[in-house]
Amino acid sequence: MLTETATPGDMPQRELQSLTMQFPSSPRGAQLARRHAVGWMGERGHPPASDVSGVVALVVGELAANAVQHGRVPGRKFGLRLVLDRAAGVLRVEVADAASAKRLPTAAPSSSPDGESGRGLLLVDVLAERWGSTPRSPVGKTVWAELCLDASTQYLADVTPPAW
């Protein structure tokens, strides 16, 4: 039950920082998206060799690679948007493509231990606090992931590498 009321002047203002860019829908575009994301995080106090930047690089790399491989529409680019909420310690990663999927990703697929692909969303599922997808209007989809920056080191410590 709400016992206090707050007027807009009483509410703390959150400082959100964001980056929005578009890249060619190609493997090189996915690589550039990852590099720009790591550079942007470096400008915000998370150097490229830090655990936080490592997690951001993995998540952006996987979502961008999926946009290139599964969401490519000739002549169209994919978009990257990062939104940093320092007060909450959360980074939201969004990758948008122009392909209208008949089926939006809702869960990380299981992959064969011998398969060469199929682990991207499994990584995102492990590293992100939560993730999902939303359709875009008029066409396309956005796949997003929210990363808890304070827990990035803990996530990496909890991940057990597969025994191949």
Side-chain angles (χ1 to χ4, degrees):
M1 183 172 164
L2 182 63
T3 58
E4 296 179 28
T5 53
T7 62
D10 296 337
M11 300 172 107
Q13 295 295 318
R14 284 205 164 149
E15 180 187 341
L16 300 178
Q17 298 175 332
S18 65
L19 169 74
T20 304
M21 298 183 78
Q22 289 191 334
F23 298 93
S25 193
S26 67
R28 175 75 174 140
Q31 180 185 37
L32 289 171
R34 187 181 68 243
R35 285 186 179 180
H36 278 283
V38 170
W40 190 78
M41 291 303 292
E43 294 168 3
R44 276 137 195 88
H46 301 284
S50 69
D51 288 340
V52 168
S53 284
V55 170
V56 171
L58 281 169
V59 171
V60 169
E62 292 301 335
L63 295 183
N66 282 352
V68 168
Q69 184 174 2
H70 304 293
R72 184 176 185 277
V73 172
R76 301 292 300 266
K77 297 179 178 183
F78 73 89
L80 169 68
R81 182 170 183 247
L82 304 176
V83 180
L84 177 61
D85 183 344
R86 283 194 186 276
V90 172
L91 176 72
R92 183 174 173 102
V93 176
E94 298 177 355
V95 175
D97 63 49
S100 292
K102 293 178 184 171
R103 203 173 42 119
L104 294 172
T106 57
S110 59
S111 65
S112 164
D114 298 329
E116 292 184 16
S117 64
R119 293 179 186 84
L121 289 178
L122 290 172
L123 284 172
V124 172
D125 192 47
V126 168
L127 296 171
E129 187 71 22
R130 58 191 202 121
W131 69 277
S133 62
T134 54
R136 288 180 45 218
S137 182
V139 297
K141 66 186 171 304
T142 299
V143 181
W144 55 268
E146 292 181 352
L147 309 176
C148 182
L149 301 181
D150 298 333
S152 292
T153 305
Q154 185 60 43
Y155 285 136
L156 293 177
D158 289 344
V159 175
T160 304
W164 348 58

